Amino acid sequence: MAFPLNSLRAFLSHAKNSLSLALRQSKKITFVVGNESADLDSFTSSILYAYIRSLAPPHSAFTPLYIPLLNIPASDINLRPEFSALCHHANISTSHLITLDNLPPLSKIQEKLKPEQTRWILVDHNDLQGTLGRIYAHRVLGVIDHHSEEFKVPQKTDPEPRIVEKCGSCTSLVTQALRSSWDARTSSSLSSSAGHAQGNSLSDDAVVVQTWNAQVAKFALGSILVDTSNMTAESKVEQADRDAVEYLETKVKLSPGNASWNRKSFYKEINTARKDIGHLSFEDILRKDYKQWTDNNQTLGISSVVKPLQFLIEKVTMESSVEDNEDIFVTTIGDFMAERNLTIFAIMTHSKSASAKDHGGKSGCKKILAKAESKLLHYYGK
């Protein structure tokens, strides 16, 4: 049975309660999961997919309810202040989110959550990694992603989509793939209300639905605008991004109270929150947007940092009593690698000229590469 049209808050509460019940009763579960870095795009694309799909599940769906799973423990949400900023616009809080803490302990997960009782849909990646990948990769039957094709997901995934194509944001691809289902469910709900309407109730119902849709649309827009630098990153923006933004902004503007919608202000708010990492420790900054995978028996890790290299050097120096900045920087990165048994570790830092504005300046990307055997750091940029 499809989830009735309702707010994102109501959906997430229902999904969390249903997951708990399904685990206790060993029922089938369909998960929608983003990548291990759990960045803003993985966050919004997994929830958007699960929400719309649960409103209008295919007749042959594994389950009618789709569970959006954040691929991190709940404690790591605090590393991502942009989540709280965006949740506010969708009338939800981070307490509504479903994380790895809502699953059985990873050390015992295969006993409590049997693979054959699950189906997994990937968004913002197309190769399930880590413990979940080792146990459930063969249960992946659906993907929407904008990264390079890894050829790990079966070619036939009916009734779920299999979309892997270049785009500024995965959330744009999810929006485009499911917008017809969303619109049909909205129209169906309003038509049903019309049949039972009395007085002003129909107009009241329309306002409520428009409000719910606007909240979800703003939620999706958050990551699309951040990933595309408010649609100004020419090397990233694709037609799917443009179409998705136009479609979502229409939903926002249809809602009462959003007539003065200002995309630039909204983008600035979410992006400023994303860059607010000064209160985090050096290790937490590296963990905030971190991916790890294994290839040819080598374990590789990569951290993306929204600040320049000098910020990292100053941060690690402040946390240490050692006067040699470069030495403590190298040592601390070595410790980070050792804890994760990394063969190779890369850090991508970002910088922008002081005169550049949010929508116009040129961003730079500098990379630091560490190799376990030599413990040497190589630094290069553009």
Side-chain angles (χ1 to χ4, degrees):
M1 181 177 179
F3 179 72
L5 186 63
N6 210 316
S7 65
L8 190 58
R9 173 192 282 260
F11 166 70
L12 290 174
S13 295
H14 176 69
K16 183 175 280 191
N17 291 335
S18 297
L19 172 60
S20 178
L21 180 64
L23 289 171
R24 290 198 305 270
Q25 298 182 352
S26 299
K27 292 185 175 181
K28 297 191 297 184
I29 306 172
T30 301
F31 290 101
V32 184
V33 62
N35 64 50
E36 287 184 295
S37 73
D39 60 7
L40 197 62
D41 200 21
S42 280
F43 173 47
T44 59
S45 58
S46 60
I47 291 178
L48 183 66
Y49 187 107
Y51 174 74
I52 298 177
R53 209 63 163 167
S54 296
L55 293 177
H59 293 300
S60 58
F62 187 68
T63 62
L65 182 66
Y66 292 66
I67 306 294
L69 177 66
L70 261 179
N71 207 347
I72 52 173
S75 59
D76 281 3
I77 292 175
N78 292 330
L79 305 182
R80 299 159 172 82
E82 64 271 26
F83 284 16
S84 295
L86 188 55
C87 283
H88 171 74
H89 288 278
N91 193 32
I92 60 176
S93 73
T94 54
S95 64
H96 290 103
L97 306 180
I98 299 169
T99 70
L100 295 179
D101 290 358
N102 297 108
L103 300 183
L106 292 181
S107 60
K108 300 179 179 179
I109 192 170
Q110 192 165 3
E111 303 170 20
K112 305 289 186 179
L113 184 61
K114 297 187 182 303
E116 61 271 20
Q117 290 294 98
T118 69
R119 177 164 289 183
W120 298 75
I121 316 299
L122 306 186
V123 291
D124 202 26
H125 64 147
N126 60 88
D127 181 11
L128 188 60
Q129 291 282 334
T131 301
L132 295 181
R134 288 193 294 273
I135 298 172
Y136 302 106
H138 67 290
R139 298 298 297 172
V140 172
L141 286 169
V143 61
I144 298 182
D145 186 28
H146 64 146
H147 296 97
S148 298
E149 173 71 78
E150 300 286 348
F151 300 102
K152 298 296 179 67
V153 179
Q155 290 299 310
K156 293 184 178 181
T157 59
D158 291 340
E160 306 300 337
R162 191 191 193 286
I163 301 170
V164 180
E165 64 182 61
K166 182 183 177 184
C167 199
S169 171
C170 181
T171 303
S172 296
L173 296 178
V174 173
T175 300
Q176 293 301 94
L178 302 183
R179 58 188 285 179
S180 60
S181 296
W182 190 2
D183 289 343
R185 191 67 182 85
T186 298
S187 297
S188 173
S189 178
L190 290 176
S191 297
S192 176
S193 297
H196 303 87
Q198 293 183 0
N200 294 324
S201 64
L202 177 57
S203 113
D204 291 342
D205 287 345
V207 168
V208 170
V209 170
Q210 288 169 350
T211 299
W212 292 340
N213 283 348
Q215 290 169 350
V216 177
K218 282 185 180 180
F219 183 75
L221 279 165
S223 60
I224 298 174
L225 298 180
V226 165
D227 277 358
T228 61
S229 299
N230 197 17
M231 301 297 287
T232 65
E234 296 180 3
S235 62
K236 290 185 176 181
V237 176
E238 300 290 338
Q239 190 58 44
D241 298 302
R242 299 185 188 95
D243 292 342
V245 168
E246 180 181 6
Y247 170 76
L248 293 168
E249 286 193 321
T250 298
K251 288 192 176 295
V252 172
K253 294 173 183 177
L254 281 174
S255 174
N258 285 316
S260 59
W261 160 256
N262 188 312
R263 182 204 296 178
K264 183 178 179 182
S265 296
F266 176 73
Y267 161 72
K268 184 176 181 180
E269 177 192 344
I270 306 303
N271 199 43
T272 298
R274 183 177 70 98
K275 294 181 177 181
D276 182 18
I277 61 173
H279 63 289
L280 300 179
S281 69
F282 180 76
E283 181 177 355
D284 283 346
I285 290 171
L286 296 184
R287 292 197 304 114
K288 181 180 186 293
D289 191 347
Y290 173 76
K291 297 184 182 75
Q292 180 175 312
W293 68 99
T294 301
D295 189 17
N296 292 326
N297 295 320
Q298 295 192 46
T299 304
L300 303 92
I302 183 168
S303 292
S304 295
V305 180
V306 295
K307 296 288 187 180
L309 173 62
Q310 188 59 35
F311 173 87
L312 289 179
I313 294 175
E314 291 174 358
K315 169 65 71 171
V316 76
T317 302
M318 286 175 55
E319 296 177 356
S320 172
S321 59
V322 177
E323 295 183 1
D324 189 334
N325 293 0
E326 291 189 9
D327 184 61
I328 188 60
F329 186 63
V330 172
T331 300
T332 305
I333 289 178
D335 292 342
F336 185 89
M337 294 178 65
E339 289 174 3
R340 292 158 180 78
N341 295 314
L342 297 181
T343 310
I344 296 175
F345 178 48
I347 305 174
M348 298 181 65
T349 64
H350 297 265
S351 62
K352 183 171 279 190
S353 63
S355 61
K357 299 192 176 179
D358 279 346
H359 61 281
K362 289 186 177 180
S363 294
C365 178
K366 302 184 187 299
K367 305 178 184 70
I368 306 153
L369 184 65
K371 194 171 182 180
E373 290 83 351
S374 61
K375 295 185 180 179
L376 293 177
L377 294 175
H378 301 279
Y379 166 75
Y380 55 100
K382 63 179 181 178

